[in-house]
C-alpha cells in the first residue's frame, strides 16, 4: 500500500513538471533525491550490496550531468550546487 501511494505522489509531481523534466537541473535534483534516499537506506542495511551498486551508478550519472552543466553554463552550475548543498567536483 505504501509503495503504491508513493508512486502516485511521484507521478503527480512529474505531471506538474512535464515541461522541464528533461532539463539537466531537474535530472540532477531527482538523482540527488534518490541518492539521499539510498544513503539513509544503507545506514540501516550496511550489507545491501545491490543498493550500494545502484548508489554508485546514480552518483556517476549525476557526476556526468554536473560536468556537462559546468562546461555549458557555469552560472547555472554554481547556482544548482548551492541550492542542493553538494560539493563542487574536483578539478585536476
Amino acid at each position: 500500500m505504501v509503495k503504491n501511494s508513493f508512486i502516485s505522489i511521484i507521478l503527480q509531481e512529474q505531471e506538474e513538471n512535464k515541461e522541464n523534466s528533461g532539463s539537466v537541473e531537474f535530472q540532477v535534483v531527482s538523482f540527488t533525491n534518490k541518492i539521499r534516499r539510498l544513503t539513509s537506506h544503507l545506514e540501516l542495511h550496511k550489507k545491501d550490496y545491490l543498493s550500494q551498486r545502484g548508489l554508485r551508478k546514480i552518483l556517476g550519472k549525476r557526476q556526468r550531468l554536473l560536468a556537462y552543466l559546468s562546461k555549458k553554463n557555469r552560472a547555472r552550475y554554481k547556482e544548482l550546487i548551492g541550492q542542493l548543498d553538494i560539493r563542487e567536483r574536483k578539478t585536476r
Side-chain angles (χ1 to χ4, degrees), residues 18-63:
K18 269 191 176 179
E19 63 210 29
N20 65 354
S21 63
S23 70
V24 176
E25 289 91 350
F26 183 83
Q27 291 180 35
V28 170
V29 168
S30 72
F31 283 146
T32 302
N33 290 336
K34 285 181 185 180
I35 288 168
R36 289 185 177 147
R37 239 183 320 127
L38 276 173
T39 303
S40 65
H41 168 78
L42 287 171
E43 288 174 357
L44 294 174
H45 308 281
K46 296 183 189 323
K47 294 190 176 184
D48 188 356
Y49 298 115
L50 289 176
S51 292
Q52 288 178 12
R53 181 176 185 262
L55 177 62
R56 284 193 301 268
K57 288 181 77 165
I58 294 172
L59 283 168
K61 287 180 185 180
R62 185 179 74 174
Q63 183 179 13

Side-chain angles (χ1 to χ4, degrees), residues 64-81:
R64 287 191 300 272
L65 281 171
L66 286 172
Y68 168 79
L69 186 61
S70 71
K71 288 177 187 174
K72 292 294 180 183
N73 193 339
R74 191 72 175 171
R76 282 175 37 199
Y77 169 76
K78 290 280 191 183
E79 182 182 339
L80 186 63
I81 293 292

